[in-house]
Amino acid sequence: MRAQIEGSQAVAEAVVLCRPEVIAAYPISPQTHIVERLSRMVKGGEVGRCQYLNVESEFGALSVLIGASAAGARTYTATTSQGLLFMAEAVYNAAGLGLPIVMTIANRAVGAPINIWNDHSDSMALRDAGWIQLYAETCQEAADLHLQAFRLAEELSCPVMVCMDGYILTHAYEPIDLPDQSEVDSFLPPFSPVQVLDPSDPISIGAMVGPEAFTEVKYLAHRQHLRALTLVPDIADSFEQQFHRESGGLYRAYRMTDADTVIIALGSVIGTIKDTVDELRDEGIAIGCLKVGCYRPFPAMQLRAVLESVTRVIVVEKDLAVGIGGIVSADVRMALNGLPIPVHTVIAGLGGRSISAESLKHMVRDARAERLSEPYFLDLNMRVVDEELARRQEERQAGPLAEQLIRAVKAIGTKVV
Amino acid sequence: MNDKPFAITLDPNSSLANHTGNWRTMRPVYVDRLPPCNHACPAGENIQAWLYLAEEKNYEAAWRRLMEDNPMPAIHGRVCYHPCETACNRGQLDQSVSIRAVERFLGDLAIKEGWRVPCAPSTGRKVLIVGAGPSGLSAAYHLTRMGHRVTIHEASDKVGGMMRYGIPSYRLPRDVVDAEVGRMEAMGVTIRLNTKVEDLDAAIQEGGFHATFLAVGAHLARRIDIPGFDAKRLLDAATFLRSMESDSPIKIGRRLAVYGGGNTAIDVARTAERLGVEPVIIYRRDEAHAPSFKEEVAEARDEGVQFQWLRSLAKGADRTLTLEVMELDEHGKPKPTGRFETIEADTVVLALGQKADTAFLRNVTGARLRDDGTVEVDEQMMTGHPGLFAGGDMVPGEQSVSMATGHGKLAARHIDAYLRGARYVRPHGHALATFDRLNTWYYTDAEQSKQPLLTLARRRGSFEEMVGALDQDTALLEARRCLSCGNCFECDNCYAVCPDNAVIKLGAGNRFAINYDYCKGCGLCAEECPCGAIDMVKEVK
Amino acid sequence: MTTQRIKFYQTGTYTAGNRLLDDEARTVQSRPDRTNSLNSGHRACQGCGEALGARYAIDAAMRAAHKRLIAINATGCLEVFSSPYPESAWQIPWMHSLFGNAPAVASGVAAALRAKGHDDVKVVAQGGDGATVDIGFGCLSGMFERNDEVLYICYDNEAYMNTGIQRSGATPPFARTNTTQAVGEAPGNLLGTGKNVPRIAMAHGIPYVATASVADLHDLEAKVATAMGMKGARYIHIHVPCPLGWGSDPAHTMKVARMAVESGLFPLFEARAGRVVDRTKIRRKVSVERYLELQTRFKHLFEPCRNDEAIAAIQAIADEHVATYGLLESEGL
């Protein structure tokens, strides 16, 4: 069924099609439209015996799912930003216990300063928590990825985050195809847990493990994670066969044939990048782009294979590892280790700043001219920064950086107007 | 379990592989300790054990357990001065268990039900017992149970000795004596009444006895003269009480003076009271120093018995007695003061104690007599004459029915060993179960059950039994007040309080065991054992 | 408490069992077929009150639930000593997730059971006082206010023992812990601090709240059975002495707990829907000193010189409990 609906509504509908049994969530923008829709559908009796719990925190939400999943239920939650960090301890725990929980991250910046707009700081902060991380490019893909995520999670006994850009996707209205229940049922079998809390067959889950076996436990988790590098494309293929559209997968290449320059990115910005690639191709520049759809596990070998003949790689990432720079680009560098391919780090779109094709084109030109600073902050307002740095130099005045900057921006704005 | 995550998920119960017992420095050990009641019982009853059975309403088993040591529970349940209750640890908690009342309940029930005790196959050995008092009867019973053939020669025309001739019937109804002695006769004990042994050797030879137990008691009254008082109206207690058992009791007039401060004096006075006489007890010391039981004094006073404490009999006239007022020195000894009083009395009964009439032993080789008439025995209760044993009031020591009954049992064991050419050695006893070893928290608060007493009005002019019996429910309640000192009563506390599940419950009647594979030696079981039946001992590795 | 003390049996009422008692009047712990939910081989210290309390409570819950029970455990001593790889001492389906989330995890299990229609299976969550009154308090409150189908049991040993005896919100005034040491002008934990979680639980209006003690097994088991027979969120707060943290003799675990109850310092009561409905009377009233003197964590109140003011303050707390809950009154509340 194709309909013009909001990304959040599409995701909620997709989740319901997966027949979840326990949903627990705590409201946080921009995740709210997903969980509001879900709670309505559960309360309305549209989701079978599914239980929806209004919990007291994100930590509580994921904890509820840890219990529910261990008791054999298919479980779902959604959060973002501060909420994800508030549940961080449970995020690690769910992965450590091998519980196939699916969680939507409506990607949003992490404060302070508080900011409700999109970037990838939140999910990147927990990239190594042991969850599989899938990033959606479009609302359609966001919806589709949930079907794949449950299958993936349950086949691997590993939790999966489906990351979709806050507002950009969650609040965008697009024509979206939602499959029939019967189609979903044939794609996604009922949950059959490898272990379950069952009075008929008691087990103890969550033992304390000391130095004698902790490394082995972690190594086995790593091996299990790596299995996703095979399973993710398999499931994407099977999805495509059944639903006749491309969604998911480890990565997607765009106009990479003969490309000397490749832009790598995650999430919705790929749309803008594709437009930019098209425009630059029209200018005769041999450029393509590559969407990383599965960021954890990181498809290093696969990326190396598709990138080994390019001249340069530009990683556009919506996050910042303060004090070092890029996060995704570091992984890409590792993937290309030993190859003579420079990898540029471009920090873009932080806290919801829009990424324009124009800026991207500048970036590409600078990169090709080897004029790109490292790391490169797209559209950084250097005037503001310089003024603040100068003021600090003069006054040596302490104070919250953010306030100073806002004051500076306002002052500039006033002057400009 | 192969599907389950490595290390994070574990099989249930897998901790059993971890033997925490090696942490232990102290080890709990179940023990049995000697309850103070058992320790104090002159008859050597295992009181805790028979109460334990009575607690289960298993009255016959309780009685049988009791009968292993004492063949006359209905009698002892009435007349024993119950040192067990004095020793009872419960006395330190609220009031002691009314052991005697429960014993009487069992004894009476056995009479009512006609329960019998089986005997071992005949040994072909014959034993002569002289005297059918408590000591002789007790020995006869035990020896008969062991398979020996027992004949008792009794001088009187009725059985019971002091139980009949020394204890008034309002304390011990005669049908009770007859029933318990009758049960022994039914077992095969032969009793020849009116058979006074004058020539012991002849009696032994005539009957072909292989051993003899002398239990003639102490029937000779100690007497004094009262100058000026008619000797015909001066009686001794033994004579007076004995006459009560005959068809023609001695007439004593309206006013009776009883001289003495022991229980016998009280018995005489209370008997007189029941005959409509006005008795007064005269004693040289005060009430606090009187050897009689306080309870008896109080009951006698309730019944109307008068007391003249700190008085001695100086002289008599026709119907008057002159008493000298005494005072006590710092050692509690009475001293004359030279002050005198007179009272009126028709008769005086002397209750100054009794001694054994052992003149018939003077010609028996080896038998050694003391000045007071008692005969000396060794640790096997044998006199210097081989095969001749003696016990009860006629040997040195405390004189009481219970003591005599205990002697009878012990003598039976020695005689049995003697008959088998062996020597009876008393088994090594357990250490005492003292009060400080108890954890009294666990015992329900429960006051002692009181036996009903005959109303004063009904006591006068009647020899009806004064102390009533406990009914079955009350007897059960009283039995269940037992703390079971030093002996596991399967309360399950140790099993419940072990944090390591290291106490194994072996099932009803089988108590518990420690699983030393897991016991960490914390000591909680010992601390929380109500009855102190667990010791913590140093672990030897 | 609602347990009927049986007068007829002289030794049957306070002991765990007794051969003379009717089967139903005996404790679960006296039964040969008790589940031993927490089995031998665990690594709790000698005389551990929490190990005892856990077995008491969970065995009682197992009996009430006809062995259809799932237990969730917060991080803490109980979790660590019962489930270090490769050995688990649990005989029931059991899970440990985190320190602060046991109530939520249990809510999740309950939700899953409801979603799956497994209405016969019951859920118990358990944790120490740290997990309950401090770090897990948010989740606990959430579980309460949602009235989830969970019985939460707090084993209160009045400090963070697993980490080495640090103060928690349940540490009593004047108690020495390693973060409230017996130094300075006000040695030990400060008077006027701490929280009463049973009362806070009552404020949620949940169907059932009770306090219990390892010292009173009959009372404890009856409360667990009552709780298990009810729907919705239920809370039982069990006082469990810690020989290590309290500085008491391991053999005195019961005795210490008993003195807490008999002094009035740890009142035993039951509340339904936010109202106290019953209390367990003090049987043999003792002064708080009988309790304090058994524990070295209060030693500074007696040595080198006696701190009468502090002891009086503690006695005042006990007296307040006696008055509030009617612990000495013969009639019902």
Side-chain angles (χ1 to χ4, degrees):
Chain A
M1 188 193 74
R2 194 170 176 82
Q4 181 82 14
I5 58 170
E6 191 195 36
S8 290
Q9 311 292 325
V11 166
E13 293 283 352
V15 167
V16 166
L17 285 168
C18 294
R19 301 187 183 278
E21 291 170 298
V22 177
I23 299 169
Y26 184 84
I28 181 169
S29 299
Q31 150 265 36
T32 46
H33 290 185
I34 300 173
V35 299
E36 285 169 3
R37 173 66 172 243
L38 283 169
S39 79
R40 179 184 170 84
M41 293 174 83
V42 170
K43 201 169 173 67
E46 298 172 51
V47 203
R49 297 180 59 106
C50 180
Q51 305 290 307
Y52 185 101
L53 276 74
N54 282 296
V55 292
E56 71 290 336
S57 72
E58 286 87 357
F59 177 68
L62 188 53
S63 296
V64 163
L65 300 193
I66 286 169
S69 185
R74 181 171 285 165
T75 56
Y76 173 81
T77 189
T79 190
T80 178
S81 183
Q82 318 295 140
L84 180 63
L85 296 191
F86 194 56
M87 67 164 66
E89 191 190 11
V91 170
Y92 275 82
N93 189 251
L97 294 175
L99 300 172
I101 298 163
V102 171
M103 171 160 65
T104 306
I105 307 299
N107 285 113
R108 171 184 144 179
V110 174
I114 188 167
N115 173 298
I116 63 165
W117 293 278
N118 168 247
D119 70 26
H120 291 166
S121 304
D122 49 4
S123 52
M124 283 298 157
L126 288 170
R127 66 190 180 278
D128 297 324
W131 290 54
I132 290 166
Q133 286 193 341
L134 306 177
Y135 285 79
E137 180 187 341
T138 62
C139 292
Q140 179 69 58
E141 190 176 40
D144 293 346
L145 280 179
H146 285 84
L147 275 60
Q148 298 186 27
F150 278 111
R151 185 159 147 185
L152 181 63
E154 290 166 13
E155 280 196 33
L156 284 178
S157 291
C158 180
V160 177
M161 286 182 202
V162 178
C163 305
M164 64 190 292
D165 288 322
Y167 294 111
I168 298 169
L169 295 182
T170 57
H171 289 56
Y173 280 75
E174 285 178 14
I176 294 168
D177 254 333
L178 285 168
D180 292 343
Q181 184 67 61
S182 60
E183 286 181 294
V184 176
D185 288 347
S186 70
F187 176 76
L188 178 64
F191 177 31
S192 169
V194 295
Q195 60 172 2
V196 66
L197 292 167
D198 177 5
S200 309
D201 181 18
I203 47 170
S204 300
I205 301 176
M208 180 181 193
V209 179
E212 75 280 15
F214 194 80
T215 305
E216 287 68 27
V217 167
K218 287 293 164 186
Y219 178 75
L220 288 165
H222 177 60
R223 287 285 297 263
Q224 184 75 347
H225 225 239
L226 293 180
R227 279 185 57 207
L229 294 175
T230 313
L231 259 178
V232 167
D234 285 355
I235 290 173
D237 287 350
S238 124
F239 182 88
E240 189 176 350
Q241 278 173 26
Q242 189 165 344
F243 299 101
H244 312 296
R245 63 174 171 274
E246 273 191 352
S247 262
L250 295 175
Y251 63 91
R252 297 279 169 191
Y254 182 75
R255 298 189 79 166
M256 290 264 295
T257 317
D258 303 330
D260 59 15
T261 302
V262 172
I263 303 174
I264 295 178
L266 284 66
S268 64
V269 74
I270 284 292
T272 313
I273 291 171
K274 280 180 182 168
D275 292 347
T276 309
V277 164
D278 289 346
E279 288 174 32
L280 288 171
R281 278 276 180 183
D282 290 348
E283 292 177 19
I285 294 173
I287 188 165
C289 79
L290 190 134
K291 173 184 84 169
V292 176
C294 173
Y295 181 58
R296 281 293 181 272
F298 188 65
M301 299 297 286
Q302 291 78 355
L303 294 191
R304 186 184 177 95
V306 296
L307 293 171
E308 62 187 351
S309 56
V310 306
T311 309
R312 70 183 60 78
V313 171
I314 306 166
V315 179
V316 175
E317 49 186 306
K318 291 183 170 181
D319 53 60
L320 171 63
V322 175
I324 175 78
I327 297 170
V328 181
S329 48
D331 292 346
V332 172
R333 274 189 200 103
M334 186 199 72
L336 301 180
N337 187 34
L339 297 175
I341 305 170
V343 177
H344 299 287
T345 302
V346 176
I347 309 299
L350 294 186
R353 177 165 294 183
S354 61
I355 299 170
S356 69
E358 221 34 56
S359 298
L360 288 172
K361 276 194 266 184
H362 273 292
M363 170 196 80
V364 170
R365 288 191 194 103
D366 284 354
R368 291 171 65 84
E370 298 187 351
R371 287 198 305 262
L372 215 53
S373 56
E374 184 61 36
Y376 178 72
F377 287 78
L378 194 73
D379 293 342
L380 180 66
N381 188 336
M382 279 310 292
R383 198 160 42 130
V384 172
V385 172
D386 287 344
E387 278 188 22
E388 171 63 14
L389 292 176
R391 187 185 60 77
R392 282 191 197 179
Q393 191 69 29
E394 284 169 21
E395 301 177 11
R396 294 192 177 280
Q397 182 187 323
L401 178 64
E403 284 177 26
Q404 307 279 1
L405 283 173
I406 288 166
R407 217 178 297 136
V409 169
K410 275 185 184 161
I412 293 158
T414 317
K415 275 179 200 164
V416 169
V417 172
Chain B
M1 288 299 289
N2 292 340
D3 289 348
K4 310 278 189 291
F6 167 72
I8 300 168
T9 298
L10 303 175
D11 287 334
N13 255 344
S14 38
S15 65
L16 293 179
N18 183 28
H19 286 189
T20 52
N22 59 13
W23 299 16
R24 198 170 53 238
T25 57
M26 297 292 280
R27 142 190 302 248
V29 179
Y30 288 99
V31 293
D32 280 296
R33 289 241 171 180
L34 178 65
C37 50
N38 297 15
H39 182 60
C41 179
E45 288 179 21
N46 192 337
I47 294 165
Q48 178 274 330
W50 60 254
L51 280 173
Y52 184 86
L53 293 163
E55 287 163 40
E56 296 170 349
K57 302 187 191 177
N58 200 344
Y59 303 121
E60 183 171 348
W63 178 80
R64 292 193 181 282
R65 186 72 189 80
L66 207 173
M67 289 290 285
E68 286 177 26
D69 298 302
N70 185 344
M72 297 166 284
I75 295 170
H76 285 77
R78 288 172 166 84
V79 304
C80 180
Y81 65 94
H82 54 69
C84 53
E85 295 183 25
T86 310
C88 176
N89 277 332
R90 182 139 202 160
Q92 295 181 54
L93 186 59
D94 41 29
Q95 304 97 30
S96 58
V97 176
S98 278
I99 297 166
R100 190 176 70 175
V102 180
E103 181 171 18
R104 169 171 164 181
F105 166 77
L106 293 174
D108 287 354
L109 189 64
I111 292 169
K112 187 175 150 224
E113 299 291 334
W115 292 332
R116 290 279 180 275
V117 177
C119 299
S122 171
T123 60
R125 297 273 149 175
K126 293 165 72 179
V127 181
L128 171 65
I129 292 176
V130 184
S135 184
L137 288 167
S138 170
Y141 161 82
H142 288 289
L143 287 164
T144 304
R145 229 162 44 102
M146 292 165 182
H148 306 303
R149 268 188 61 196
V150 177
T151 303
I152 302 178
H153 287 188
E154 167 57 47
S156 305
D157 61 350
K158 290 190 179 113
V159 294
M162 288 305 289
M163 297 188 295
R164 183 182 299 272
Y165 297 117
I167 298 172
S169 61
Y170 66 86
R171 282 178 53 204
L172 178 59
R174 302 308 183 225
D175 57 344
V176 173
V177 178
D178 293 339
E180 294 207 312
V181 176
R183 188 167 57 217
M184 292 181 209
E185 289 180 293
M187 286 169 68
V189 176
T190 303
I191 303 175
R192 290 202 195 148
L193 298 171
N194 303 311
T195 308
K196 183 162 184 180
V197 174
E198 307 278 6
D199 183 343
L200 189 59
D201 282 344
I204 292 169
Q205 281 192 355
E206 184 194 328
F209 295 108
H210 301 97
T212 302
F213 179 55
L214 303 176
V216 298
H219 294 277
L220 281 182
R222 293 175 208 277
R223 288 187 65 110
I224 55 167
D225 284 328
I226 306 173
F229 198 75
D230 180 1
K232 285 203 282 292
R233 290 185 283 114
L234 180 63
L235 307 172
D236 65 75
T239 306
F240 171 71
L241 291 172
R242 175 177 281 264
S243 89
M244 296 302 297
E245 297 302 309
S246 69
D247 296 334
S248 50
I250 297 168
K251 304 269 190 301
I252 50 175
R254 190 173 59 81
R255 292 161 302 184
L256 171 70
V258 184
Y259 195 44
N263 289 321
T264 305
I266 308 278
D267 285 343
V268 169
R270 294 177 72 183
T271 297
E273 177 70 28
R274 280 164 173 73
L275 294 170
V277 173
E278 295 167 14
V280 57
I281 289 177
I282 298 157
Y283 183 54
R284 298 184 307 146
R285 297 192 286 174
D286 62 7
E287 183 169 354
H289 289 82
S292 54
F293 297 129
K294 306 293 162 251
E295 197 177 87
E296 292 268 338
V297 172
E299 284 174 6
R301 186 177 282 122
D302 288 346
E303 289 168 6
V305 174
Q306 301 291 312
F307 290 88
Q308 288 278 358
W309 303 111
L310 291 166
R311 302 287 185 275
S312 72
L313 269 183
K315 57 183 181 179
D318 180 26
R319 298 275 165 182
T320 60
L321 291 172
T322 302
L323 310 179
E324 180 168 8
V325 178
M326 310 294 280
E327 61 184 25
L328 299 181
D329 66 12
E330 63 270 30
H331 306 295
K333 286 210 163 209
K335 293 188 305 185
T337 59
R339 286 180 280 123
F340 296 90
E341 297 170 355
T342 57
I343 60 166
E344 297 194 347
D346 299 318
T347 311
V348 174
V349 172
L350 301 173
L352 303 173
Q354 287 153 223
K355 51 186 187 176
D357 181 5
T358 48
F360 72 105
L361 286 176
R362 289 213 180 98
N363 299 325
V364 174
T365 48
R368 284 183 303 278
L369 299 179
R370 292 191 180 181
D371 292 344
D372 63 1
T374 56
V375 58
E376 286 184 11
V377 290
D378 62 14
E379 68 276 10
Q380 297 178 78
M381 302 190 70
M382 192 154 76
T383 65
H385 187 94
L388 185 61
F389 297 79
D393 287 357
M394 68 179 287
V395 300
E398 199 184 331
Q399 298 182 341
S400 75
V401 171
S402 311
M403 193 62 78
T405 302
H407 281 182
K409 178 178 82 171
L410 207 53
R413 288 179 180 170
H414 288 302
I415 292 166
D416 175 62
Y418 170 80
L419 291 173
R420 289 183 285 104
R423 200 182 164 93
Y424 171 73
V425 181
R426 236 185 151 138
H428 185 71
H430 295 297
L432 201 60
T434 48
F435 184 77
D436 60 297
R437 289 178 56 89
L438 305 179
N439 188 333
T440 60
W441 170 261
Y442 290 103
Y443 297 105
T444 308
D445 305 314
E447 288 191 359
Q448 194 181 49
S449 314
K450 298 287 178 221
Q451 287 173 279
L453 292 182
L454 205 61
T455 58
L456 284 174
R458 287 187 61 193
R459 288 187 218 170
R460 207 155 283 157
S462 155
F463 281 83
E464 192 176 340
E465 185 166 21
M466 205 197 88
V467 179
L470 296 181
D471 61 28
Q472 184 163 315
D473 284 351
T474 319
L476 179 64
L477 182 76
E478 197 54 31
R480 285 174 173 179
R481 291 184 68 241
C482 172
L483 307 180
S484 194
C485 305
N487 290 267
C488 172
F489 58 97
E490 297 185 24
C491 73
D492 298 318
N493 258 17
C494 53
Y495 177 62
V497 302
C498 176
D500 296 287
N501 312 6
V503 173
I504 303 162
K505 181 165 174 161
L506 298 174
N510 298 316
R511 298 184 171 183
F512 305 87
I514 304 288
N515 184 344
Y516 293 110
D517 282 350
Y518 301 109
C519 166
K520 293 171 185 163
C522 68
L524 258 175
C525 53
E527 184 72 25
E528 299 305 313
C529 175
C531 66
I534 303 175
D535 278 350
M536 293 301 291
V537 300
K538 211 163 175 60
E539 186 69 45
V540 183
K541 297 255 176 183
Chain C
M1 179 55 209
T2 46
T3 39
Q4 181 69 40
R5 302 289 185 188
I6 298 152
K7 287 265 162 50
F8 193 66
Y9 296 107
Q10 301 312 307
T11 54
T13 307
Y14 297 97
T15 52
N18 186 310
R19 70 197 196 287
L20 305 174
L21 282 178
D22 290 339
D23 202 46
E24 281 308 306
R26 301 184 197 186
T27 61
V28 174
Q29 284 306 311
S30 74
R31 292 168 195 279
D33 64 345
R34 75 182 188 205
T35 44
N36 284 332
S37 308
L38 177 64
N39 211 349
S40 308
H42 63 68
R43 290 147 195 253
C45 302
Q46 293 174 325
C48 174
E50 188 174 33
L52 260 185
R55 197 188 70 225
Y56 286 1
I58 302 300
D59 279 2
M62 277 288 277
R63 183 171 166 83
H66 308 291
K67 302 193 177 181
R68 304 289 288 166
L69 188 75
I70 292 171
I72 301 303
N73 213 127
T75 309
C77 278
L78 177 59
E79 169 263 324
V80 169
F81 73 61
S82 67
S83 65
Y85 165 79
E87 293 153 0
S88 169
W90 295 98
Q91 301 213 59
I92 57 169
W94 177 91
M95 183 164 90
H96 158 248
S97 172
L98 294 169
F99 201 1
N101 72 355
V105 174
S107 290
V109 174
L113 294 171
R114 180 175 285 193
K116 290 179 168 299
H118 297 162
D119 296 333
D120 61 322
V121 182
K122 310 294 178 199
V123 185
V124 168
Q126 47 185 352
D129 51 294
T132 306
V133 318
D134 291 344
I135 196 169
F137 189 67
C139 287
L140 184 68
S141 179
M143 187 274 277
F144 285 164
E145 66 82 13
R146 290 189 303 271
N147 200 24
D148 290 334
E149 288 292 323
V150 174
L151 166 59
Y152 189 96
I153 301 170
C154 171
Y155 305 110
D156 181 5
N157 57 23
E158 302 184 337
Y160 291 89
M161 300 311 184
N162 189 40
T163 44
I165 319 165
Q166 295 86 17
R167 179 200 183 273
S168 82
T171 301
F174 303 105
R176 173 190 39 76
T177 70
N178 285 325
T179 52
T180 55
Q181 301 210 11
V183 294
E185 285 181 12
N189 193 30
L190 291 183
L191 183 66
T193 64
K195 61 175 115 165
N196 185 334
V197 169
R199 299 302 300 208
I200 299 171
M202 284 166 59
H204 288 77
I206 58 173
Y208 187 73
V209 174
T211 58
S213 166
V214 285
D216 195 336
L217 179 57
H218 287 266
D219 184 75
L220 184 155
E221 288 187 352
K223 284 167 175 169
V224 172
T226 301
M228 289 299 290
M230 297 174 75
K231 291 275 181 199
R234 292 140 287 153
Y235 180 75
I236 299 181
H237 192 102
I238 303 177
H239 201 226
V240 291
C242 170
L244 184 74
W246 295 10
S248 56
D249 185 334
H252 285 171
T253 294
M254 287 290 188
K255 185 178 180 181
V256 170
R258 194 151 56 230
M259 291 303 107
V261 172
E262 295 301 295
S263 65
L265 273 178
F266 194 86
L268 302 181
F269 65 89
E270 282 183 298
R272 289 175 191 247
R275 284 171 55 94
V276 175
V277 294
D278 206 352
R279 48 76 182 99
T280 305
K281 271 181 61 188
I282 287 175
R283 183 173 168 224
R284 295 178 188 166
K285 180 81 167 72
V286 295
S287 73
V288 295
E289 286 167 77
R290 297 288 84 75
Y291 171 66
L292 303 174
E293 68 196 7
L294 296 170
Q295 309 167 55
T296 60
R297 65 173 171 159
F298 294 112
K299 194 175 173 189
H300 59 279
L301 301 184
F302 300 95
E303 294 172 18
C305 53
R306 194 184 147 91
N307 186 342
D308 286 318
E309 204 178 324
I311 294 167
I314 297 172
Q315 185 64 54
I317 294 169
D319 294 345
E320 170 65 24
H321 290 160
V322 168
T324 303
Y325 297 100
L327 300 178
L328 289 175
E329 288 163 25
S330 54
E331 296 304 311
L333 288 177

